[in-house]
Amino acid sequence: MSPKITVELLRQLRQAMRNGKYITEPIQAYIVPSGDAHQSEYIAPCDCRREFICGFNGSAGTAIVTEQHAALWTDGRYFLQASQQMDNNWTLMKTGLKETPSQEDWLVSVLPENSKVGVDPWIIAADQWKNMAKALSSAGHSLVALQDNLIDAIWEDRPSRPSTKLITLGLKYTGLTWQDKILAVRGKMAERKISWFVVTALDEIAWLFNLRGSDIEYNPVFFAYAVIGMSSIKLFVDVKRLLEPAVREHLQLDGTSKPELTVQCFPYESVYTELQAVCAALTPKEKIWICDKASCALTQVIPKVHRSAIPYTPFCLAKAVKNPTEIQGMKMAHIKDAVALCELFAWLEKEIPKGTVTEISVADKAEELRSQQKEFVGLSFPTISSVGPNGAIIHYSPLPETNRTLSLNELYLIDSGAQYLDGTTDVTRTVHFGNPSEYEKECFTYVLKGHIAVSAAVFPNGTKGHLLDSFARAALWESGLDYLHGTGHGVGCFLNVHEGPCGISYKTFADEPLEAGMIVSDEPGYYEDGSFGIRLENVVLVIPIKTKYNYRNRGSLTFEPLTLVPIQLKLINTDLLTQKERDWVNDYHTKCRETIGAELKRQGRMEALDWLMRETQPFV
Amino acid sequence: MSPKITVELLRQLRQAMRNGKYITEPIQAYIVPSGDAHQSEYIAPCDCRREFICGFNGSAGTAIVTEQHAALWTDGRYFLQASQQMDNNWTLMKTGLKETPSQEDWLVSVLPENSKVGVDPWIIAADQWKNMAKALSSAGHSLVALQDNLIDAIWEDRPSRPSTKLITLGLKYTGLTWQDKILAVRGKMAERKISWFVVTALDEIAWLFNLRGSDIEYNPVFFAYAVIGMSSIKLFVDVKRLLEPAVREHLQLDGTSKPELTVQCFPYESVYTELQAVCAALTPKEKIWICDKASCALTQVIPKVHRSAIPYTPFCLAKAVKNPTEIQGMKMAHIKDAVALCELFAWLEKEIPKGTVTEISVADKAEELRSQQKEFVGLSFPTISSVGPNGAIIHYSPLPETNRTLSLNELYLIDSGAQYLDGTTDVTRTVHFGNPSEYEKECFTYVLKGHIAVSAAVFPNGTKGHLLDSFARAALWESGLDYLHGTGHGVGCFLNVHEGPCGISYKTFADEPLEAGMIVSDEPGYYEDGSFGIRLENVVLVIPIKTKYNYRNRGSLTFEPLTLVPIQLKLINTDLLTQKERDWVNDYHTKCRETIGAELKRQGRMEALDWLMRETQPFV
């Protein structure tokens, strides 16, 4: 991986920062956040502005350029990757380390007095704007919203915004019509005396309307806004997309529905002026819901007295708690996904000794095998396929220049997943095709212990995911080890592979309590820069569990693994496991054998079935 | 416990809420917070305003009175106690339960339009004021600072503010002179370009000046403020207290020190006007540190441009990390305390069969035995001495009308501690003098497993205490049990038994990372209303530990128990313990035997020594 050369780009950006064409007064710093106007985690090529300016292409990070400095903040998943992708015009700021200044503190330390700091108000979230503006103003500086995006100004061949074909999803997949979802949210709005609800997150809009697109790679979403009133529904989207008869029928655009369930369609860009019109017509007491993670630009359209900013929307929570149809779909998707992975591992065992299998070829093979499964749509994120030291780059994707060959001597980590019409998958396995060292086995076993500690945890209703994070780390901590990423994220149902508002992380973000029906990942790891990476990830479903007692009638929850792919036994040092942990592994493998074995048989994939039977032998 | 009759008081308060003598316009609600002008947790009788109005005397809780309603918010430690102490004019709001509205939400739901809500700005913290004011104003109401406290206005025989004799502490106890503490904080102020630092927390002022008082029962503090500049030190205190020669000498009040280390003394009440004068003399760029938990009244003296509000002060952190002298003192205090408790338990075993020992008489006996130890000053909090169902009242203190007799049939819980010149103690043991039921043993053993899980936890430097909280609950959770309080709090050194900024709790308050030298409690429990309470509490010191590996050179920490009092073996169901947990108990008891045994021998307390030897037999 060679770094992007940014001397000339930085020169141009700094020129733009002083150019009267874009600004009324020169600015002394420019902030380039990671997201798009919907604060998406994964973004379309036209929105990869931060990557364009610094070269770092991970999913999280903020670049700030001043007259003298250029710095990028990212978290532990990306330290190595960012340091390799950026040239020495850039300083890497390692978020989460004690010595790393916050963006605000750093700006205050480097800016001359009374500086102006610019940012595009569409791609900074309202809550981030607020914090940054406050910190800057208390140090005598100011944060300025610039109409023109300065990166776009210097980006010559910037791609255009995608507008892909929309897919309609029926009740078979969604369990609930979009009309019922509208009625449910109106009930919540009435309860809270809310007149309007501005929906900006792309996955919430896709979920609401039971529509999918492919505007953003890996994320089956489409660029749109929605503004829901008690008796109207406004959808902002490239109107060409609505010409398709199936979409018209699905949204009942041709005049058959009741007025309050009629979707009014507007061009995507008109959300700003339409929202202004909605606000202008409000009576003094009326309130509008908008997520505090929505863009600063759209948020500020709503006068403060009418604005009710919420940390996450009712759709965010409703989407997180899967209904029975969605749960069934997620289970089916994971069975198909496991079939593909069993085939992949069986194939790898045969092929690796030939010395021709590379990180890239495995990733391609995995995609090919998945694509043979029914209702396959595409991958859910770029496959992380990494050999030996590449495994320590937590979100590594192989490139021709970094591509390593799989061998009998190094650990191999594959973190991959797919979108099926019935669900989204995300699974990581770390394997060794020769003889792992005692140290590799020891580390793997600690990670396994952490994985089991979360997966088998029993906890009361109302518990937030961050309270489970340390369970995943205890075994590593005891030996002085750790990993610098969270333990789990919410997973969408044929939607984004990362979704809120629940998760399992040491970071105390505003996570909502875990509830039966939520689906999260459980993925502890251990990484040694320059040597190897280990991660073990299942997607798990939150389910109720009957406990011996039931304190204050609260009820208890635990997890059911949806991912059913064997965990490599040869990497486990069984002496380090308790009897309970051994039982867990055996039970898990029995379930893999029964469920995935039956499906492999049904599909006639006998080689993979043999592999599965071999890999799921119980411990003696 | 019979509830306080509040009909007449509420009538008077509501009258005051409309009385032009105190207010310019009638207010529709009045908030009565728990604290004093220093936001102390324990308060002097003159500040017990919330207890005066509603009868509930726990350490945490806020009362709000409207024209129609009266409600009290408190947390899980106090649900039972509050419900018993308040009459039916009051609604108990159980903080932490999902269905309980926040104070803000509740006010918004009950207030008529455009209401005014009053509060005394001296006893509401600045951050609480801010949140409350914001929530009210966004609902069309307003929060109003009232010059007169309305409770004081209707409180006929309100006690006067205490002004007790000051004790000076030498280097032998403090390890650091107050002058060195001043110089250290000025270093930090210079680093952050801070001109002044307003100290409002009573324990911080006591710690800074190496002085103690007894203005507040159990807390060796005195009413004062301090304002520290880069070249001046202003102390606000009842000036009569400074006439004592020892105090004058200690503070070098008689003109021998350098000007920048000369303490200027002012009357306690003049802090408001003196701080105004300090602010008036500031140059435009100068900043003043004040904790965001300081009173709203004092905070607002500092113009916003000069105010640098911090979540905790440098003294708060410096005080939390004990120096070697303080650690040694805490160890000595805990040895003395354990001697007294061993004697108490030996005495109880003999006396209980006589049927004359009550909750109150044990509490008295414990105090008597502690008072025989060197450097004893007083108790560190009201002794919780509770038999059977009283044990379920988490912060229960026996009263003549609730007093139960200890028997061979019920669990007995004692949570007690003392102030010694060299340290502060806090210890809870739950014991049974007859034959505990299998169920009691089971619950006790889960609590013990939780206690050990925290005490033996190994975790990286930089870990916040809240990440350890679930370790204390995992065994209870697995059986569907839990407890509704945090697991641990910081403990002062001959200072407040509860102190920040570290702790172990599921509540994600702004806790600072644990550091070697910090001292916290480890006190999981289990409570069944109407039946029994179990709690097991040691005070533990954070210490470095060498682990097998050392990821990123971060280093690891664990805990060393300072409390060395046997854990009753007959309450343990050893089948439920792992081998590691059994070893922990045996090692702990060996340490008790060695350290406390030696001291008991030295003090010639042979009966207690026999008891200790019997109670610390290793598991077979």
Side-chain angles (χ1 to χ4, degrees), chain A residues 429 447-448 450-456 472 483 487-489 504 520-524 535-540 559 584:
Chain A
R429 288 294 180 270
V447 171
L448 172 63
H451 179 90
I452 297 172
V454 170
S455 196
Y483 54 97
T487 300
H489 53 80
I504 303 173
V520 295
S521 69
D522 170 12
E523 47 179 317
R535 184 159 65 254
L536 176 53
E537 175 186 25
N538 282 350
V539 168
V540 296
F559 297 109
W584 186 94

PDB file of all heavy atoms in Angstrom, chain A residues 429 447-448 450-456 472 483 487-489 504 520-524 535-540 559 584:
ATOM      1  N   ARG A 429     -13.988 -15.732  10.744  1.00  0.00           N
ATOM      2  CA  ARG A 429     -13.299 -16.901  11.258  1.00  0.00           C
ATOM      3  C   ARG A 429     -11.800 -16.717  11.052  1.00  0.00           C
ATOM      4  O   ARG A 429     -11.375 -16.117  10.049  1.00  0.00           O
ATOM      5  CB  ARG A 429     -13.753 -18.186  10.542  1.00  0.00           C
ATOM      6  CG  ARG A 429     -15.164 -18.623  10.920  1.00  0.00           C
ATOM      7  CD  ARG A 429     -15.248 -19.034  12.394  1.00  0.00           C
ATOM      8  NE  ARG A 429     -16.585 -19.455  12.790  1.00  0.00           N
ATOM      9  CZ  ARG A 429     -17.526 -18.643  13.279  1.00  0.00           C
ATOM     10  NH1 ARG A 429     -17.283 -17.350  13.408  1.00  0.00           N
ATOM     11  NH2 ARG A 429     -18.698 -19.123  13.636  1.00  0.00           N
ATOM     12  N   VAL A 447      -9.506 -15.185  22.913  1.00  0.00           N
ATOM     13  CA  VAL A 447     -10.542 -14.526  22.117  1.00  0.00           C
ATOM     14  C   VAL A 447     -11.818 -15.372  22.135  1.00  0.00           C
ATOM     15  O   VAL A 447     -12.928 -14.851  22.307  1.00  0.00           O
ATOM     16  CB  VAL A 447     -10.042 -14.288  20.672  1.00  0.00           C
ATOM     17  CG1 VAL A 447     -11.172 -13.801  19.773  1.00  0.00           C
ATOM     18  CG2 VAL A 447      -8.890 -13.285  20.668  1.00  0.00           C
ATOM     19  N   LEU A 448     -11.649 -16.679  21.996  1.00  0.00           N
ATOM     20  CA  LEU A 448     -12.805 -17.585  22.049  1.00  0.00           C
ATOM     21  C   LEU A 448     -13.518 -17.477  23.392  1.00  0.00           C
ATOM     22  O   LEU A 448     -14.758 -17.422  23.460  1.00  0.00           O
ATOM     23  CB  LEU A 448     -12.333 -19.031  21.807  1.00  0.00           C
ATOM     24  CG  LEU A 448     -13.381 -20.123  22.027  1.00  0.00           C
ATOM     25  CD1 LEU A 448     -14.544 -19.982  21.038  1.00  0.00           C
ATOM     26  CD2 LEU A 448     -12.745 -21.515  21.899  1.00  0.00           C
ATOM     27  N   GLY A 450     -13.642 -14.966  25.344  1.00  0.00           N
ATOM     28  CA  GLY A 450     -14.379 -13.700  25.347  1.00  0.00           C
ATOM     29  C   GLY A 450     -15.652 -13.794  24.521  1.00  0.00           C
ATOM     30  O   GLY A 450     -16.721 -13.331  24.928  1.00  0.00           O
ATOM     31  N   HIS A 451     -15.518 -14.432  23.363  1.00  0.00           N
ATOM     32  CA  HIS A 451     -16.693 -14.602  22.497  1.00  0.00           C
ATOM     33  C   HIS A 451     -17.787 -15.384  23.234  1.00  0.00           C
ATOM     34  O   HIS A 451     -18.959 -14.998  23.233  1.00  0.00           O
ATOM     35  CB  HIS A 451     -16.295 -15.335  21.214  1.00  0.00           C
ATOM     36  CG  HIS A 451     -17.453 -15.566  20.299  1.00  0.00           C
ATOM     37  ND1 HIS A 451     -17.827 -14.667  19.327  1.00  0.00           N
ATOM     38  CD2 HIS A 451     -18.367 -16.578  20.250  1.00  0.00           C
ATOM     39  CE1 HIS A 451     -18.909 -15.120  18.713  1.00  0.00           C
ATOM     40  NE2 HIS A 451     -19.255 -16.280  19.250  1.00  0.00           N
ATOM     41  N   ILE A 452     -17.384 -16.455  23.885  1.00  0.00           N
ATOM     42  CA  ILE A 452     -18.366 -17.287  24.604  1.00  0.00           C
ATOM     43  C   ILE A 452     -18.965 -16.503  25.777  1.00  0.00           C
ATOM     44  O   ILE A 452     -20.169 -16.567  26.031  1.00  0.00           O
ATOM     45  CB  ILE A 452     -17.715 -18.593  25.106  1.00  0.00           C
ATOM     46  CG1 ILE A 452     -17.237 -19.446  23.923  1.00  0.00           C
ATOM     47  CG2 ILE A 452     -18.682 -19.378  25.988  1.00  0.00           C
ATOM     48  CD1 ILE A 452     -16.401 -20.669  24.322  1.00  0.00           C
ATOM     49  N   ALA A 453     -18.104 -15.751  26.481  1.00  0.00           N
ATOM     50  CA  ALA A 453     -18.593 -15.018  27.660  1.00  0.00           C
ATOM     51  C   ALA A 453     -19.728 -14.073  27.276  1.00  0.00           C
ATOM     52  O   ALA A 453     -20.694 -13.917  28.031  1.00  0.00           O
ATOM     53  CB  ALA A 453     -17.443 -14.246  28.315  1.00  0.00           C
ATOM     54  N   VAL A 454     -19.636 -13.449  26.109  1.00  0.00           N
ATOM     55  CA  VAL A 454     -20.734 -12.587  25.662  1.00  0.00           C
ATOM     56  C   VAL A 454     -21.901 -13.444  25.176  1.00  0.00           C
ATOM     57  O   VAL A 454     -23.047 -13.252  25.573  1.00  0.00           O
ATOM     58  CB  VAL A 454     -20.260 -11.630  24.545  1.00  0.00           C
ATOM     59  CG1 VAL A 454     -21.442 -10.917  23.901  1.00  0.00           C
ATOM     60  CG2 VAL A 454     -19.289 -10.607  25.124  1.00  0.00           C
ATOM     61  N   SER A 455     -21.609 -14.396  24.325  1.00  0.00           N
ATOM     62  CA  SER A 455     -22.674 -15.169  23.683  1.00  0.00           C
ATOM     63  C   SER A 455     -23.525 -15.902  24.710  1.00  0.00           C
ATOM     64  O   SER A 455     -24.739 -16.020  24.550  1.00  0.00           O
ATOM     65  CB  SER A 455     -22.050 -16.163  22.706  1.00  0.00           C
ATOM     66  OG  SER A 455     -23.011 -16.669  21.818  1.00  0.00           O
ATOM     67  N   ALA A 456     -22.901 -16.378  25.777  1.00  0.00           N
ATOM     68  CA  ALA A 456     -23.626 -17.156  26.785  1.00  0.00           C
ATOM     69  C   ALA A 456     -24.088 -16.298  27.956  1.00  0.00           C
ATOM     70  O   ALA A 456     -24.689 -16.809  28.898  1.00  0.00           O
ATOM     71  CB  ALA A 456     -22.730 -18.288  27.296  1.00  0.00           C
ATOM     72  N   ALA A 472     -16.186  -9.760  27.186  1.00  0.00           N
ATOM     73  CA  ALA A 472     -15.424 -10.208  26.019  1.00  0.00           C
ATOM     74  C   ALA A 472     -13.923 -10.051  26.218  1.00  0.00           C
ATOM     75  O   ALA A 472     -13.134 -10.668  25.518  1.00  0.00           O
ATOM     76  CB  ALA A 472     -15.865  -9.440  24.779  1.00  0.00           C
ATOM     77  N   TYR A 483      -7.952  -5.619  22.795  1.00  0.00           N
ATOM     78  CA  TYR A 483      -8.133  -5.210  21.393  1.00  0.00           C
ATOM     79  C   TYR A 483      -8.793  -3.849  21.382  1.00  0.00           C
ATOM     80  O   TYR A 483      -9.599  -3.532  22.253  1.00  0.00           O
ATOM     81  CB  TYR A 483      -8.957  -6.231  20.589  1.00  0.00           C
ATOM     82  CG  TYR A 483     -10.300  -6.576  21.181  1.00  0.00           C
ATOM     83  CD1 TYR A 483     -11.462  -5.948  20.751  1.00  0.00           C
ATOM     84  CD2 TYR A 483     -10.420  -7.531  22.185  1.00  0.00           C
ATOM     85  CE1 TYR A 483     -12.705  -6.254  21.298  1.00  0.00           C
ATOM     86  CE2 TYR A 483     -11.647  -7.845  22.743  1.00  0.00           C
ATOM     87  CZ  TYR A 483     -12.776  -7.205  22.298  1.00  0.00           C
ATOM     88  OH  TYR A 483     -13.997  -7.508  22.856  1.00  0.00           O
ATOM     89  N   THR A 487     -16.955  -4.555  20.743  1.00  0.00           N
ATOM     90  CA  THR A 487     -17.190  -5.994  20.641  1.00  0.00           C
ATOM     91  C   THR A 487     -18.332  -6.324  19.695  1.00  0.00           C
ATOM     92  O   THR A 487     -18.362  -7.416  19.126  1.00  0.00           O
ATOM     93  CB  THR A 487     -17.463  -6.561  22.054  1.00  0.00           C
ATOM     94  OG1 THR A 487     -16.321  -6.291  22.866  1.00  0.00           O
ATOM     95  CG2 THR A 487     -17.714  -8.054  22.023  1.00  0.00           C
ATOM     96  N   GLY A 488     -19.262  -5.417  19.506  1.00  0.00           N
ATOM     97  CA  GLY A 488     -20.374  -5.768  18.631  1.00  0.00           C
ATOM     98  C   GLY A 488     -21.167  -4.571  18.156  1.00  0.00           C
ATOM     99  O   GLY A 488     -21.162  -3.522  18.799  1.00  0.00           O
ATOM    100  N   HIS A 489     -21.828  -4.744  17.018  1.00  0.00           N
ATOM    101  CA  HIS A 489     -22.665  -3.693  16.443  1.00  0.00           C
ATOM    102  C   HIS A 489     -24.005  -4.299  16.057  1.00  0.00           C
ATOM    103  O   HIS A 489     -24.100  -5.509  15.838  1.00  0.00           O
ATOM    104  CB  HIS A 489     -21.972  -3.104  15.212  1.00  0.00           C
ATOM    105  CG  HIS A 489     -21.561  -4.144  14.190  1.00  0.00           C
ATOM    106  ND1 HIS A 489     -22.447  -4.685  13.299  1.00  0.00           N
ATOM    107  CD2 HIS A 489     -20.370  -4.774  13.964  1.00  0.00           C
ATOM    108  CE1 HIS A 489     -21.817  -5.582  12.545  1.00  0.00           C
ATOM    109  NE2 HIS A 489     -20.549  -5.670  12.930  1.00  0.00           N
ATOM    110  N   ILE A 504     -22.336  -3.368  21.462  1.00  0.00           N
ATOM    111  CA  ILE A 504     -21.594  -3.831  22.638  1.00  0.00           C
ATOM    112  C   ILE A 504     -20.222  -3.196  22.545  1.00  0.00           C
ATOM    113  O   ILE A 504     -19.402  -3.607  21.730  1.00  0.00           O
ATOM    114  CB  ILE A 504     -21.477  -5.365  22.664  1.00  0.00           C
ATOM    115  CG1 ILE A 504     -22.863  -6.018  22.636  1.00  0.00           C
ATOM    116  CG2 ILE A 504     -20.679  -5.830  23.878  1.00  0.00           C
ATOM    117  CD1 ILE A 504     -22.834  -7.534  22.497  1.00  0.00           C
ATOM    118  N   VAL A 520     -27.186  -8.438  17.031  1.00  0.00           N
ATOM    119  CA  VAL A 520     -25.885  -7.759  17.118  1.00  0.00           C
ATOM    120  C   VAL A 520     -24.776  -8.742  16.773  1.00  0.00           C
ATOM    121  O   VAL A 520     -24.997  -9.947  16.720  1.00  0.00           O
ATOM    122  CB  VAL A 520     -25.630  -7.196  18.546  1.00  0.00           C
ATOM    123  CG1 VAL A 520     -26.627  -6.106  18.901  1.00  0.00           C
ATOM    124  CG2 VAL A 520     -25.649  -8.294  19.593  1.00  0.00           C
ATOM    125  N   SER A 521     -23.589  -8.203  16.549  1.00  0.00           N
ATOM    126  CA  SER A 521     -22.444  -9.084  16.348  1.00  0.00           C
ATOM    127  C   SER A 521     -21.715  -9.258  17.675  1.00  0.00           C
ATOM    128  O   SER A 521     -21.862  -8.459  18.592  1.00  0.00           O
ATOM    129  CB  SER A 521     -21.500  -8.500  15.296  1.00  0.00           C
ATOM    130  OG  SER A 521     -20.861  -7.338  15.791  1.00  0.00           O
ATOM    131  N   ASP A 522     -20.972 -10.349  17.776  1.00  0.00           N
ATOM    132  CA  ASP A 522     -20.137 -10.645  18.953  1.00  0.00           C
ATOM    133  C   ASP A 522     -18.781 -10.977  18.371  1.00  0.00           C
ATOM    134  O   ASP A 522     -18.601 -12.065  17.824  1.00  0.00           O
ATOM    135  CB  ASP A 522     -20.763 -11.835  19.704  1.00  0.00           C
ATOM    136  CG  ASP A 522     -19.844 -12.385  20.799  1.00  0.00           C
ATOM    137  OD1 ASP A 522     -18.844 -11.719  21.135  1.00  0.00           O
ATOM    138  OD2 ASP A 522     -20.139 -13.487  21.306  1.00  0.00           O
ATOM    139  N   GLU A 523     -17.838 -10.015  18.428  1.00  0.00           N
ATOM    140  CA  GLU A 523     -16.598 -10.185  17.678  1.00  0.00           C
ATOM    141  C   GLU A 523     -15.348  -9.662  18.375  1.00  0.00           C
ATOM    142  O   GLU A 523     -14.735  -8.697  17.921  1.00  0.00           O
ATOM    143  CB  GLU A 523     -16.711  -9.542  16.296  1.00  0.00           C
ATOM    144  CG  GLU A 523     -17.284  -8.130  16.275  1.00  0.00           C
ATOM    145  CD  GLU A 523     -17.331  -7.555  14.849  1.00  0.00           C
ATOM    146  OE1 GLU A 523     -16.364  -7.717  14.106  1.00  0.00           O
ATOM    147  OE2 GLU A 523     -18.347  -6.926  14.510  1.00  0.00           O
ATOM    148  N   PRO A 524     -14.973 -10.306  19.471  1.00  0.00           N
ATOM    149  CA  PRO A 524     -13.695  -9.917  20.069  1.00  0.00           C
ATOM    150  C   PRO A 524     -12.537 -10.346  19.169  1.00  0.00           C
ATOM    151  O   PRO A 524     -12.721 -11.136  18.246  1.00  0.00           O
ATOM    152  CB  PRO A 524     -13.671 -10.712  21.383  1.00  0.00           C
ATOM    153  CG  PRO A 524     -14.589 -11.865  21.187  1.00  0.00           C
ATOM    154  CD  PRO A 524     -15.628 -11.416  20.185  1.00  0.00           C
ATOM    155  N   ARG A 535      -9.741 -12.809  14.990  1.00  0.00           N
ATOM    156  CA  ARG A 535     -11.062 -12.306  15.353  1.00  0.00           C
ATOM    157  C   ARG A 535     -12.037 -13.452  15.186  1.00  0.00           C
ATOM    158  O   ARG A 535     -11.867 -14.290  14.292  1.00  0.00           O
ATOM    159  CB  ARG A 535     -11.454 -11.102  14.477  1.00  0.00           C
ATOM    160  CG  ARG A 535     -12.773 -10.470  14.874  1.00  0.00           C
ATOM    161  CD  ARG A 535     -12.938  -9.000  14.386  1.00  0.00           C
ATOM    162  NE  ARG A 535     -12.985  -8.868  12.957  1.00  0.00           N
ATOM    163  CZ  ARG A 535     -12.000  -8.395  12.200  1.00  0.00           C
ATOM    164  NH1 ARG A 535     -10.873  -7.985  12.766  1.00  0.00           N
ATOM    165  NH2 ARG A 535     -12.129  -8.314  10.899  1.00  0.00           N
ATOM    166  N   LEU A 536     -13.053 -13.490  16.036  1.00  0.00           N
ATOM    167  CA  LEU A 536     -14.046 -14.554  15.988  1.00  0.00           C
ATOM    168  C   LEU A 536     -15.395 -13.873  16.109  1.00  0.00           C
ATOM    169  O   LEU A 536     -15.703 -13.296  17.148  1.00  0.00           O
ATOM    170  CB  LEU A 536     -13.798 -15.511  17.167  1.00  0.00           C
ATOM    171  CG  LEU A 536     -14.793 -16.652  17.342  1.00  0.00           C
ATOM    172  CD1 LEU A 536     -14.950 -17.455  16.066  1.00  0.00           C
ATOM    173  CD2 LEU A 536     -14.310 -17.570  18.465  1.00  0.00           C
ATOM    174  N   GLU A 537     -16.162 -13.912  15.031  1.00  0.00           N
ATOM    175  CA  GLU A 537     -17.411 -13.142  14.998  1.00  0.00           C
ATOM    176  C   GLU A 537     -18.610 -13.988  14.603  1.00  0.00           C
ATOM    177  O   GLU A 537     -18.611 -14.614  13.546  1.00  0.00           O
ATOM    178  CB  GLU A 537     -17.294 -11.999  13.989  1.00  0.00           C
ATOM    179  CG  GLU A 537     -18.607 -11.217  13.822  1.00  0.00           C
ATOM    180  CD  GLU A 537     -18.546 -10.176  12.719  1.00  0.00           C
ATOM    181  OE1 GLU A 537     -17.729 -10.348  11.791  1.00  0.00           O
ATOM    182  OE2 GLU A 537     -19.306  -9.196  12.787  1.00  0.00           O
ATOM    183  N   ASN A 538     -19.611 -13.988  15.457  1.00  0.00           N
ATOM    184  CA  ASN A 538     -20.938 -14.487  15.097  1.00  0.00           C
ATOM    185  C   ASN A 538     -21.924 -13.335  15.168  1.00  0.00           C
ATOM    186  O   ASN A 538     -21.764 -12.421  15.978  1.00  0.00           O
ATOM    187  CB  ASN A 538     -21.419 -15.547  16.100  1.00  0.00           C
ATOM    188  CG  ASN A 538     -20.774 -16.901  15.874  1.00  0.00           C
ATOM    189  OD1 ASN A 538     -20.102 -17.119  14.868  1.00  0.00           O
ATOM    190  ND2 ASN A 538     -20.986 -17.800  16.812  1.00  0.00           N
ATOM    191  N   VAL A 539     -22.968 -13.436  14.347  1.00  0.00           N
ATOM    192  CA  VAL A 539     -24.129 -12.575  14.534  1.00  0.00           C
ATOM    193  C   VAL A 539     -25.070 -13.323  15.474  1.00  0.00           C
ATOM    194  O   VAL A 539     -25.279 -14.529  15.322  1.00  0.00           O
ATOM    195  CB  VAL A 539     -24.784 -12.269  13.179  1.00  0.00           C
ATOM    196  CG1 VAL A 539     -26.152 -11.628  13.364  1.00  0.00           C
ATOM    197  CG2 VAL A 539     -23.871 -11.348  12.375  1.00  0.00           C
ATOM    198  N   VAL A 540     -25.558 -12.607  16.500  1.00  0.00           N
ATOM    199  CA  VAL A 540     -26.383 -13.270  17.523  1.00  0.00           C
ATOM    200  C   VAL A 540     -27.700 -12.520  17.705  1.00  0.00           C
ATOM    201  O   VAL A 540     -27.767 -11.302  17.551  1.00  0.00           O
ATOM    202  CB  VAL A 540     -25.619 -13.376  18.876  1.00  0.00           C
ATOM    203  CG1 VAL A 540     -24.392 -14.269  18.748  1.00  0.00           C
ATOM    204  CG2 VAL A 540     -25.221 -12.003  19.406  1.00  0.00           C
ATOM    205  N   PHE A 559     -28.243 -14.623  24.305  1.00  0.00           N
ATOM    206  CA  PHE A 559     -28.061 -14.559  22.855  1.00  0.00           C
ATOM    207  C   PHE A 559     -28.191 -15.944  22.234  1.00  0.00           C
ATOM    208  O   PHE A 559     -27.786 -16.939  22.834  1.00  0.00           O
ATOM    209  CB  PHE A 559     -26.675 -13.999  22.511  1.00  0.00           C
ATOM    210  CG  PHE A 559     -26.446 -12.587  22.964  1.00  0.00           C
ATOM    211  CD1 PHE A 559     -25.578 -12.316  24.016  1.00  0.00           C
ATOM    212  CD2 PHE A 559     -27.086 -11.531  22.338  1.00  0.00           C
ATOM    213  CE1 PHE A 559     -25.350 -11.010  24.436  1.00  0.00           C
ATOM    214  CE2 PHE A 559     -26.861 -10.220  22.751  1.00  0.00           C
ATOM    215  CZ  PHE A 559     -25.991  -9.957  23.803  1.00  0.00           C
ATOM    216  N   TRP A 584     -20.039 -25.327  25.688  1.00  0.00           N
ATOM    217  CA  TRP A 584     -20.586 -24.348  24.746  1.00  0.00           C
ATOM    218  C   TRP A 584     -20.106 -24.656  23.330  1.00  0.00           C
ATOM    219  O   TRP A 584     -20.883 -24.666  22.382  1.00  0.00           O
ATOM    220  CB  TRP A 584     -20.180 -22.926  25.157  1.00  0.00           C
ATOM    221  CG  TRP A 584     -20.818 -21.849  24.308  1.00  0.00           C
ATOM    222  CD1 TRP A 584     -21.972 -21.178  24.581  1.00  0.00           C
ATOM    223  CD2 TRP A 584     -20.358 -21.354  23.035  1.00  0.00           C
ATOM    224  NE1 TRP A 584     -22.259 -20.293  23.564  1.00  0.00           N
ATOM    225  CE2 TRP A 584     -21.289 -20.383  22.603  1.00  0.00           C
ATOM    226  CE3 TRP A 584     -19.268 -21.645  22.229  1.00  0.00           C
ATOM    227  CZ2 TRP A 584     -21.153 -19.690  21.406  1.00  0.00           C
ATOM    228  CZ3 TRP A 584     -19.125 -20.957  21.017  1.00  0.00           C
ATOM    229  CH2 TRP A 584     -20.057 -19.995  20.623  1.00  0.00           C
TER     230      TRP A 584
END
